[in-house]
Each structure stands twice: as C-alpha cells, then as structure tokens.
Amino acid sequence: MGVPQAMDSLKTRAASIRESLHKSQTITDSMVSILGSFDHRLSALETAMRPTQIRTHSIRRAHENIDKTLKVTEDILAEFELSRKAEAKILRGPHEDLESYLDAINQLKRNINFFSKNKGFKSTHGVFSHANNLLSKAILKLEDEFRQILSNYSKPIEPDRLFDCLPNNLRPSSSASGNHDESGGKKQSEHPVKGLEKAVFTTPTLIPPRVLPLLHDLAQQMIQAGHQQQLFTIYGDVRCSVVEHSLRKLGVEKLNKDDVQKMQWEVLEAKIGNWIHYMRIAVKLLFTGEKKICDQIFEDSDSLREQCFANVSMNSVAMLLSFGEAIAKSKRSPEKLFVLLDMYEIMRELQPEIAILFASKHCTEMRDSAFNLTKRLANTAQETFGDFEEAVEKDATKTAVLDGTVHPLTSYVINYVKFLFDYQSTLKQLFEEVDGGDPEAQLATLTTRIMTALQNNLDGKSKQYKDPALTQLFLMNNIHYIVRSIRRSEAKDLLGDDWVQIHRRIVQQHANQYKRISWAKILQCLTVQGDGTGGGNLSRAMVKDRYKTFNVNFEELHQRQSQWTVPDSELRESLRLAVAEVLLPAYRSFIKRWGPLIENGKNPQKYIRYTPEDLERMLNEFFEGKIWNDQQKR
C-alpha cells in the first residue's frame, strides 16, 4: 500500500474516533443531568424524614436510660439485701459461727464501699451511715472475741511439757522434784552442754494450731479497721502473764544482789545450776514458741508483730537476767569462778538465738541486756582469777598437817586448776573477748602463776614444823602431788615437759634432804671412820655405846616417823628403799665386824636388839601414819 492510501485510511479512522467521543460526551451529560435530579429529590426526602429520626433516637435513648436505671436499682436492691443479711449475722454475734461472722463483716465492707460510690441516691445515705455504725460495733465484738479465744487457749505450760521438748541428755531425771536441784552443784562440772551443736530442741505448742488461723483472721479485721493499739493491748494483757507464769512454774525467781548475798553457798550454787537450765529452756523453747505464734497471728503486720513479741517477752527476760546480773555483781569468791564460767557458757551458747529472736528495734533493750550480761560475767570471772591467785599466795591457814602429808590447800588448788581445764575452750574464748591476744598463752601464764603462788605458800607453811626432816617430807609430798596431778591433766600441755622435769628434780632434792637430815646421825653410829680411834680399835664399851645410841635413835625415829605420811605408794616405797639401801648394808657391816664383841659377853640382846631383817620390817612401817591415825580415832 502506498503512502496516500495509508493517509486516507488514517483519516477515516480518526473521523470515526471523533464521532464516538462525541456520542460518549452526549451520554455523560445526560447522566449527570439525571443524577442531579435524583440528588435534589433525595435531599428533599431527608428533610422531610428528619423530625421522625429525631423522635426515634430520643425514644431509643429513653429506653437505654430506663434500662440503666433499672440495672442500678436492681444492684442497689441487691446490696440492700446483702447488707440486710450481713446485719442479721453480725447482730447474732461471732460466738455461733465465727467464720460466717467474718464473712458478714467482709460483706458489710463491700456494701459500704458500694454505697460510698452511689451517694447520689437519696436512700443510700442512711444505709451508708447505718452500715458504718454497724461495722464499728462488729469490730468491737471482734475485739471481745479475740480476747476470749486467746484467753481460752493461753494456759501456762507445765514444766514436764517443756522438759519433753529438750534433748534427752538435758532432761531432768525421773526422780527429780521441786526445783530440780540435780542440775546444780558439782554436776555442773560434767558439762552436759558439750556436744549440743546437733541436739534437737522441739518448739512447744503454746496455742493449738487449729486456733491460730482464727486468731489471725480476727487480728487482720481489727488491723484493717485501724484497731492496732487495742489489739496490741489485748495480746499483751493475755500473753505476758502466761509467759511469766510458765517461768514461775519452772522455778524462775526474780532475785537481786541483796537476795543473792544472803544465801548459803550450797543453796546459791543449786540456784545457779537451775538458772542455767531455765535460760536454755526460756530462749530455745518458750521465747521461740512465743515468737512463732506471734508471727502467725500478726503475719500481715511486721511492726505490730515485733511490738507484740517485745511486749510479751520484756518482763520475763528482765526476770531471768536479773539473777545473772545479781551473781555477776555479788561479792567475788574462788568457788564462784566455775559457776560464773557455767553462766558465761550458757550466755555464749544462746547468743545466736537471742540475736535472731530479739533482732527488731523494739527488742533492742533486751538484746543489749543479754549481751551486756555475757560481758559482765566474763569480766567478773577474770577478776575472780586474780582474786584466786592472790588468795592462794596469801592463804594464812595456821593449822599444819601434823603428819607432813599433802596439805588441803594443795589438793584444793590442784583440783581447782584441773577443773579449770574442763573449761579450757570457754576460758580461751573469755580471754579473747576480754583482753584479746593469744588466749592459750594467757591460760598458760595464769596456770603458771597459780602454781608459783601455791609453792610460795607451801614454803611458808613448811616453816611451821620444828623438825627439819618433816619440813622436807612435807615439801616432797606436796610438790610430788602437784607434779603427778599436772602430768595426768591437760595442764601438762600448757606448762610443758620442762616444767614437769624441773619440779620432779625438786621432789628428789627434798627427798635427799630428808634422808640427810633424818638418817645422818644414825649412820654415824654405824661408822667407825673419823671417831679418832684409828679405825679398827673400838673397845667393847665403845661398841656397846654405839649400839645403845643406834637403838635409841632408831626407835625414836621409828616412833615419830611411823606417824608421818607419804600418801603416794610409789613415792613411799621409793623413799623406804632409798633409806634401806644405805642403812641396812651399814648395819650388817657393823654387826659383822663388831657384833662378836657383844655376843660373847653378858646379855647381848640388850645391845643387839634388832637383826637386819627386823630393821627392814620396821622400815616398812615408816610413813604409814598408823599411830597418828589411831590417836585421831581415839
């Protein structure tokens, strides 16, 4: 196809398109005109319908308001009904059904909350005021009920029930009675508390577990009503007297310094032993049990819980600690040292429990009083040490032991020191608390000073004897007793082997001095040398004189020294053997050499009274204290 033809074809198509567009525009204009007509008609219809729509909307809103009013009315009526039912239960009181009574109070609180939000209704104002008044009366009844239930189930706990809560080794014997004196006196030295770290103490049931939730719910209602002070007062009134009465049943007394000072030592010692048990029972059982029920009843109020426990415990703690304070402040004496240490031990043992039980700020005074008593006991015990050392040094007992045996002071001091080492760990703890430094070195120094003071005193007492031989025997006996006792005790580890060896040599020195003083004169009778006779030319008369002198001296010595005592059997045999080893050979030798001069004369038995065997037998009668003991019996 050529260009002209193509152009004609395009023109034809263009004309056709223009015609189509024209027709489309015409149709569009017609449609716009028709639609405009519809819009006008609809606008007119809407204007005509508007009043009807307004009336319909108003009617719908009126129905909605009526529905809402009916719903509120129904709710108010329902609350009225619930309030009426709650009031009926409250008026009946809590005695019939406490749980239902508490539910009614909770319902009444919800009613009050509801009416407080719907005060626009005229009728609710009176109901609101009435419900509040009713709630106040209900809470007052709750106070009475709380007091009644708490009182009914709060009874002093019997001592036997408390003893059943102790570990077996701390329970009184079945034969004990009264104030349980078996805990006092010397039995305290046995330290029944040792090894109690794993002992089980069973917290006693002070109030039945089934009652505690009721008391908790009552307390919670009172707290929510703002009656904390009334609750505090009621709880204190009931539980304070119960705890105090429980302690009195146990045997606790409130004693002051003057009361303590007037007591005989045996009575006081027993009371101290009992007090130690009372402290353990009070802290580990009574106060722990009291804290437990306090925590459960006032679970939702930390402050009230702590205040109530402090209030209940205060008087009882003061009653217990007053006795400890009285002992710590009373006149010091050596025999009090061990009970002071026992008291210090129990206070140290109970410190962790005391710190936990009385941790709150409301218990600060009780906690501090307990800890201060511990320190005061430590200080008094240390001062008593110093008193004891001085008393040993200055003991002025004039009565001498006539037979030269161990002096009562020696046995007393040694037993005292051995007893001290039963408290070794306690003493070290005490020294560390009071002075600091090395407690073991302090204990060693203390023991050494006491031993030195004792020896100094014994030296002074030995000078009371007119017979110097008895002086030496007395010192030998006493130093030997000291050494033997120390070797068998824990004190040896502190004093050391050197101390023991030095004092064993001192014992030997006194034994040698005794032999020299007692037997030198007799041995001279059996010795020829140095008599100026030339050694071998004794006359018969001289031999007779020697025998006479020997007999008189030996008999006098036998009579006197048979009254003396060497209480230790080994030392006694050793001393006899030492004498025999020098006496018997000398006597045999003398008889062998000079006996024939006498035996060939008249009445030889007048001069040669004893055979060596007789002397040996008589030596075995020395140091038995027989004659003296017989005289004592007569």
Side-chain angles (χ1 to χ4, degrees), residues 334-350:
E335 65 270 15
K336 284 185 182 177
L337 176 59
F338 301 108
V339 294
L340 286 168
L341 292 174
D342 287 332
M343 294 171 75
Y344 173 75
E345 271 186 352
I346 190 61
M347 294 305 296
R348 289 286 304 187
E349 177 194 329
L350 296 176

Side-chain angles (χ1 to χ4, degrees), residues 4 162 352 405 441 565 576 596:
L162 289 171
T405 189
T565 301
R576 288 170 178 170

Side-chain angles (χ1 to χ4, degrees), residues 422-476:
D422 285 345
Y423 294 84
Q424 189 170 173
S425 60
T426 303
L427 286 167
K428 290 177 181 177
Q429 196 173 54
L430 184 149
F431 289 142
E432 195 167 10
E433 181 172 329
V434 175
D435 294 328
D438 182 357
E440 188 160 328
Q442 291 184 58
L443 184 56
T445 301
L446 169 69
T447 307
T448 302
R449 288 207 312 259
I450 291 174
M451 292 294 99
T452 302
L454 174 59
Q455 288 174 250
N456 291 341
N457 190 284
L458 291 172
D459 285 339
K461 285 181 168 45
S462 71
K463 294 178 173 57
Q464 298 177 49
Y465 297 108
K466 296 179 180 179
D467 189 330
L470 186 55
T471 294
Q472 298 301 319
L473 192 80
F474 171 79
L475 291 173
M476 179 197 73

Side-chain angles (χ1 to χ4, degrees), residues 132-292:
N132 270 316
N133 291 335
L134 185 61
L135 181 61
S136 297
K137 293 177 182 177
I139 297 299
L140 291 176
K141 287 185 178 181
L142 279 187
E143 288 183 13
D144 293 338
E145 186 68 10
F146 183 85
R147 182 190 296 275
Q148 186 66 40
I149 293 175
L150 188 64
S151 298
N152 288 344
Y153 292 100
S154 292
K155 304 298 179 187
I157 187 166
E158 295 297 325
D160 287 343
R161 280 187 59 206
L162 289 171
F163 298 149
D164 288 342
C165 297
L166 294 169
N168 288 334
N169 62 329
L170 288 180
R171 295 179 186 179
S173 61
S174 57
S175 61
S177 61
N179 287 336
H180 307 287
D181 289 343
E182 77 284 347
S183 63
K186 295 298 180 185
K187 289 191 178 181
Q188 284 302 306
S189 67
E190 297 169 11
H191 286 288
V193 301
K194 300 300 184 186
L196 282 184
E197 295 82 1
K198 297 180 181 179
V200 177
F201 292 80
T202 306
T203 304
T205 301
L206 303 181
I207 292 178
R210 62 183 175 80
V211 178
L212 291 173
L214 291 177
L215 291 171
H216 167 267
D217 292 343
L218 288 169
Q220 186 64 15
Q221 291 288 356
M222 293 169 65
I223 291 169
Q224 290 174 359
H227 287 225
Q228 289 93 331
Q229 185 57 46
Q230 294 91 324
L231 190 56
F232 171 82
T233 302
I234 293 169
Y235 193 82
D237 288 347
V238 175
R239 292 304 303 173
C240 276
S241 61
V242 169
V243 177
E244 289 177 37
H245 197 177
S246 296
L247 287 175
R248 288 197 181 94
K249 275 178 169 284
L250 193 63
V252 176
E253 305 170 86
K254 189 167 186 178
L255 300 172
N256 58 34
K257 180 181 173 182
D258 292 336
D259 298 326
V260 166
Q261 209 65 50
K262 295 173 186 175
M263 288 183 191
Q264 294 292 325
W265 168 240
E266 292 76 12
V267 175
L268 183 59
E269 188 179 26
K271 286 187 179 295
I272 291 170
N274 287 334
W275 179 84
I276 288 167
H277 286 285
Y278 299 156
M279 281 299 301
R280 186 180 290 112
I281 288 171
V283 172
K284 289 183 178 285
L285 300 180
L286 266 182
F287 294 140
T288 298
E290 199 63 42
K291 183 76 162 58
K292 185 177 179 181

Side-chain angles (χ1 to χ4, degrees), residues 89 92-104 145:
K89 290 181 181 178
R92 283 198 298 270
H95 302 298
E96 294 182 6
D97 186 352
L98 179 58
E99 188 174 351
S100 177
Y101 188 85
L102 293 174
D103 289 340
E145 186 68 10

